[in-house]
Amino acid sequence: MKEKLAKAWHDVFEGVGFDYGLPIDISTHGSAIDSLIGTLHYFMALLFIGWGIYLVYCLIKFRERPGHKADISPKNYSIPKYLEIGIVIFEACLLVFFSYPVWAKLKTDFPDRASSLVVRITAEQFAWNIHYPGRDGKFGKTNIDLIDGTNPVGLDREDPDAKDDIVSINQFNVPVGKPVIVELGAKDVIHGFFLPTARVKHDAIPGMVFPLWFETKETGEFQIACAQLCGVGHYRMVGYFNVKTQEEFDNWLLEEEKALTEGE
Amino acid sequence: MAFPKLNMMSYWVYFVGGVIMMASFLMPGGAAASGWTSYPPLSVISNNAQTVWLISMVFLITSSLLGSVNTIVTAIQLKAKGQNFMRWPIHVWAQVTTAFLLLLAFPPLEAAAVLQLADRVFGSSFFLPSGLVVSGEKWAAAGGGNPLLWQHLFWFLAHPEVYVLILPAVGVVCEIVTANARKPLYGYKTMVYSILFLGFMSFIVWAHHMFMTGMGVTLSSFFQATTMIISIPSVIILTTILLTLWGASIRFSVPMLFATAFLPMFAIGGLTGLPLGLTASDIHLHDTYYVIGHFHYVVAPGTLFALMGGVYYWYPKFSGRKMNETLGKIHFWTSFVAINFVFMPMFFMGSKGVSRRMYDQTVYTHGAATQSWNVVMSTAAFVLLFAQIPFIYNMFTAWKTGKKVENDNPWDATTLEWAASSPPPHENFPTPVEVYRDPYSYSPTTGKVLPQFAPQEG
């Protein structure tokens, strides 16, 4: 505890840990989100600075002083009206041309399942279970009665479709440049599946399965974060999101398959 | 109040609720730990303190409901002679709108709290789906419920609740600004209609808190549109107060300092709501510190500053003495600087993607990269705490030693409460008062203040 505090203070004085701004983006859809966030912040800064200058001017110009009297005659200014109409039009444009299309693309324009990597991610306190369908592309049956320490999703290995299924805990490997479809669920409480570097966020809600998709454009090692309070271990519910080349990914799959057959 | 006994009941129910809420911290196994949103299934499977928390919520909600009925009836039924709706000070409009929000939005949450209580205590499954597996064990409940049902019921209250917090603050700021700008409020009617429209719209934006729960295109389009629409009356309210300052003669009393500081900080809070209200930008910012920064700028530097300004402003009314000006200025400037250091870094952390409600964010790489902001925020929070010492000291000592007011209307204000003597006698007004004109009136010939209760100029 003491060491942690000492390190925290040391970092402050060294200027370490003061990062800000959006993280890097390795997804194909992320640039639309980032540009909307950017545009909005320019708009907000413009309004705020405008208001700020006006406010400071008023506070100085119209301060109480001898010989200065308030102007109490009724007023009806037209500039603020035009300004407000301008704000309305601007917001409507952001809504219709920026936000609606991104959301519609993410929610309705799913990539073809055959040419995508389809995985099931089941969140639990406090881990991410990632279920790959394996070579046959079919998910084996799962049954909650089979869930135990070694079988976190309750996969029924008797099922022929389940023979080659791979379940990894907290290691989410995906090949770069290939669409990924995630079928997201949870076992116990609500979790928030968040890939900060891929601009992906979705609540994982028990009793429901939500499909979502993304596509990466860069390799690298990143993290899965939990965005929704899920219990005392919420803060350490970190997963690893590894974007590999197709070749590395295939090798990893082969190794996992080998481990499966050896285990039998 | 129109119903004194109801008022008393509201208070005592509140008191009981508060004691139970405090007691929940002392429960074996720790305090309730599912956040103020209390999302099931986490809240249903969590420790026993959650049950106590829910019981307390039922009491607190009941108290709010009783209070809101009383506020509405009092404001409408007990108007002074000559007082009509368009002569109400903005503060009264804000309080009545707030009371309506409470009255209409709280019953669904009260019902939801009882349902969650049933889930916890009687083993029902309103909010629990089938097939829950907790810590590797099947959860013993029938299932068939839906966790999202809670979120809808919860946010149907909790969004209007935001306006419950901010509208009275807006009312306080309007009173302080008009009294200290020495001129009428710009666009009184615009202000009234904006507040009413804001109150109405606050009922149909709630699902923007749930964009990440699998919401499709149609529903999200509706809630994004309403969210953008609700920003319009907010902008109008702020603009109206700002325009009131044009051509004013601004008296920088301590309440005015707080009211002035409210304006830019409320603006930051309001503006940062925009990226959260659009689903596309919300994908990255949802449930991060950006959200925390956004709503705290509305309710902490916003509401809290307005309320502190209100204390300084109405203190002479109920005590007959003014609070110390120097201590007030120390309190204001230290609080103003500190509170911005508490909440501004949240936007930097949130933009990096740091989730809210983290015990230790350095587990994540983006958390470690922003950890020093946490140190700054914690330090500033302690400074903010100590900055309240002069305020509390001032509030208690001024009761006996504060400078006595020269007359009953020390701020030269226009509204009705200053017709009573300061401090007011039992039953406030010894003789019935009459309202002769609009609030915030000044004589067109002399430019001098014309209180609502003054029969004629002079």
Side-chain angles (χ1 to χ4, degrees), chain B residues 215-403:
Chain B
M215 198 180 286
V217 173
T218 318
L219 204 58
S220 80
S221 299
F222 173 78
F223 281 105
Q224 284 181 82
T226 54
T227 304
M228 288 301 115
I229 292 170
I230 205 169
S231 72
I232 305 304
S234 316
V235 169
I236 294 177
I237 287 174
L238 194 60
T239 312
T240 309
I241 302 175
L242 284 171
L243 286 175
T244 305
L245 297 176
W246 190 262
S249 174
I250 303 168
R251 198 167 54 189
F252 288 106
S253 58
V254 176
M256 186 60 180
L257 290 176
F258 279 95
T260 315
F262 167 90
L263 301 172
M265 294 195 290
F266 173 62
I268 293 175
L271 288 172
T272 49
L274 289 175
L276 299 168
L278 294 169
T279 47
S281 38
D282 189 48
I283 291 174
H284 183 64
L285 300 172
H286 192 90
D287 269 331
T288 66
Y289 259 90
Y290 196 93
V291 182
I292 315 298
H294 153 66
F295 72 74
H296 278 96
Y297 257 99
V298 176
V299 300
T303 302
L304 280 186
F305 263 53
L307 294 186
M308 286 174 187
V311 170
Y312 285 99
Y313 181 68
W314 278 297
Y315 196 88
K317 177 78 261 163
F318 55 78
S319 72
R321 292 171 192 270
K322 276 194 181 179
M323 286 169 76
N324 183 291
E325 188 108 338
T326 316
L327 284 177
K329 281 183 177 157
I330 293 171
H331 172 221
F332 168 74
W333 285 109
T334 45
S335 300
F336 180 63
V337 173
I339 208 162
N340 280 290
F341 274 99
V342 176
F343 297 115
M344 190 53 84
M346 292 184 176
F347 295 121
F348 307 143
M349 280 164 56
S351 62
K352 272 281 166 214
V354 178
S355 303
R356 62 193 294 192
R357 293 163 170 160
M358 302 290 261
Y359 163 72
D360 179 4
Q361 66 181 46
T362 57
V363 172
Y364 296 97
T365 45
H366 59 272
T370 51
Q371 165 64 17
S372 290
W373 290 122
N374 262 326
V375 183
V376 171
M377 280 154 55
S378 301
T379 314
F382 278 109
V383 175
L384 185 63
L385 173 71
F386 292 122
Q388 307 316 304
I389 293 172
F391 174 60
I392 292 164
Y393 173 81
N394 200 354
M395 195 155 69
F396 284 102
T397 53
W399 195 263
K400 286 269 179 260
T401 61
K403 203 174 119 212

Side-chain angles (χ1 to χ4, degrees), chain B residues 52 63 68 79 93 97 99 133 142 170 173 224 293 329 331 373 377 402 413 424 445:
Chain B
V52 181
S63 156
S68 63
K79 292 201 293 287
W93 275 111
T97 310
V133 179
V170 167
V173 167
Q224 284 181 82
K329 281 183 177 157
H331 172 221
W373 290 122
M377 280 154 55
T445 48

Side-chain angles (χ1 to χ4, degrees), chain A residues 40-240:
Chain A
L40 274 167
H41 280 80
Y42 281 119
F43 170 69
M44 285 148 61
L46 189 75
L47 271 184
F48 184 73
I49 292 168
W51 276 340
I53 292 173
Y54 167 86
L55 178 65
V56 172
Y57 179 81
C58 282
L59 295 182
I60 297 169
K61 176 102 198 282
F62 302 116
R63 69 188 186 280
E64 187 181 51
R65 56 190 186 274
H68 173 71
K69 264 184 138 179
D71 175 10
I72 55 135
S73 58
K75 291 281 190 300
N76 193 5
Y77 305 115
S78 50
I79 295 174
K81 261 182 220 156
Y82 296 128
L83 198 69
E84 265 145 28
I85 293 167
I87 293 173
V88 174
I89 293 169
F90 184 76
E91 284 183 2
C93 289
L94 286 180
L95 196 62
V96 176
F97 298 116
F98 281 82
S99 192
Y100 283 176
V102 174
W103 197 252
K105 187 171 159 55
L106 287 175
K107 291 290 159 179
T108 55
D109 197 7
F110 269 73
D112 181 28
R113 279 178 84 92
S115 57
S116 312
L117 170 71
V118 184
V119 298
R120 278 186 189 161
I121 296 184
T122 309
E124 69 172 84
Q125 289 174 326
F126 301 96
W128 305 95
N129 301 301
I130 295 128
H131 180 181
Y132 294 82
R135 204 172 284 273
D136 63 355
K138 285 180 192 157
F139 289 105
K141 282 197 187 96
T142 56
N143 180 348
I144 59 166
D145 290 324
L146 296 173
I147 290 177
D148 60 32
T150 56
N151 189 359
V153 294
L155 190 62
D156 180 5
R157 290 287 182 190
E158 301 299 312
D159 180 34
D161 290 338
K163 294 270 186 244
D164 60 350
D165 285 17
I166 294 162
V167 179
S168 82
I169 300 174
N170 286 336
Q171 294 293 335
F172 182 28
N173 296 322
V174 300
V176 70
K178 190 175 183 179
V180 180
I181 296 176
V182 176
E183 292 173 353
L184 187 63
K187 276 155 74 171
D188 38 28
V189 302
I190 299 177
H191 302 271
F193 178 71
F194 183 24
L195 303 174
T197 51
R199 306 294 186 265
V200 170
K201 187 179 286 156
H202 204 293
D203 283 357
I205 301 173
M208 298 170 160
V209 174
F210 296 107
L212 50 112
W213 71 274
F214 64 92
E215 190 181 331
T216 52
K217 55 183 188 191
E218 268 174 59
T219 58
E221 294 188 346
F222 309 103
Q223 289 179 325
I224 309 171
C226 183
Q228 190 68 261
L229 177 67
C230 59
V232 286
H234 167 54
Y235 77 97
R236 58 180 158 83
M237 192 167 158
V238 57
Y240 297 91

Side-chain angles (χ1 to χ4, degrees), chain B residues 28-342:
Chain B
S34 17
W36 83 287
T37 51
S38 220
Y39 281 180
L42 179 65
S43 54
V44 177
I45 68 170
S46 75
N47 59 24
N48 285 332
Q50 181 69 24
T51 305
V52 181
W53 188 90
L54 284 166
I55 293 169
S56 148
M57 281 306 286
V58 172
F59 276 95
L60 293 175
I61 294 170
T62 307
S63 156
S64 269
L65 285 174
L66 298 174
S68 63
V69 171
N70 216 346
T71 304
I72 294 168
V73 176
T74 307
I76 293 173
Q77 287 297 317
L78 297 188
K79 292 201 293 287
K81 191 180 169 206
Q83 180 81 296
N84 60 39
F85 288 110
M86 280 300 156
R87 283 178 174 179
W88 271 1
I90 295 297
H91 187 55
V92 178
W93 275 111
Q95 288 289 0
V96 170
T97 310
T98 302
F100 269 108
L101 297 187
L102 288 172
L103 187 64
L104 299 176
F106 253 142
L109 186 73
E110 185 148 25
V114 172
L115 295 183
Q116 197 181 99
L117 207 55
D119 275 10
R120 287 185 57 89
V121 180
F122 307 123
S124 60
S125 290
F126 291 105
F127 304 125
L128 295 182
S130 312
L132 273 192
V133 179
V134 179
S135 311
E137 301 289 325
K138 278 205 283 184
W139 188 258
N146 188 334
L148 280 185
L149 172 63
W150 167 267
Q151 295 194 19
H152 280 291
L153 293 170
F154 177 81
W155 287 114
F156 186 76
L157 156 89
H159 197 81
E161 171 69 27
V162 176
Y163 295 89
V164 165
L165 298 176
I166 194 63
L167 281 177
V170 167
V172 170
V173 167
C174 283
E175 301 308 315
I176 297 174
V177 166
T178 46
N180 287 283
R182 314 307 306 138
K183 69 188 279 282
L185 184 74
Y186 176 85
Y188 172 86
K189 280 192 177 163
T190 317
M191 184 66 125
V192 171
Y193 295 138
S194 295
I195 288 175
L196 292 175
F197 186 59
L198 201 68
F200 169 73
M201 288 303 293
S202 74
F203 282 104
I204 47 173
V205 297
W206 80 89
H208 68 207
H209 297 270
M210 302 166 59
F211 282 153
M212 298 303 133
T213 57
M215 198 180 286
V217 173
T218 318
L219 204 58
S220 80
S221 299
F222 173 78
F223 281 105
Q224 284 181 82
T226 54
T227 304
M228 288 301 115
I229 292 170
I230 205 169
S231 72
I232 305 304
S234 316
V235 169
I236 294 177
I237 287 174
L238 194 60
T239 312
T240 309
I241 302 175
L242 284 171
L243 286 175
T244 305
L245 297 176
W246 190 262
S249 174
I250 303 168
R251 198 167 54 189
F252 288 106
S253 58
V254 176
M256 186 60 180
L257 290 176
F258 279 95
T260 315
F262 167 90
L263 301 172
M265 294 195 290
F266 173 62
I268 293 175
L271 288 172
T272 49
L274 289 175
L276 299 168
L278 294 169
T279 47
S281 38
D282 189 48
I283 291 174
H284 183 64
L285 300 172
H286 192 90
D287 269 331
T288 66
Y289 259 90
Y290 196 93
V291 182
I292 315 298
H294 153 66
F295 72 74
H296 278 96
Y297 257 99
V298 176
V299 300
T303 302
L304 280 186
F305 263 53
L307 294 186
M308 286 174 187
V311 170
Y312 285 99
Y313 181 68
W314 278 297
Y315 196 88
K317 177 78 261 163
F318 55 78
S319 72
R321 292 171 192 270
K322 276 194 181 179
M323 286 169 76
N324 183 291
E325 188 108 338
T326 316
L327 284 177
K329 281 183 177 157
I330 293 171
H331 172 221
F332 168 74
W333 285 109
T334 45
S335 300
F336 180 63
V337 173
I339 208 162
N340 280 290
F341 274 99
V342 176

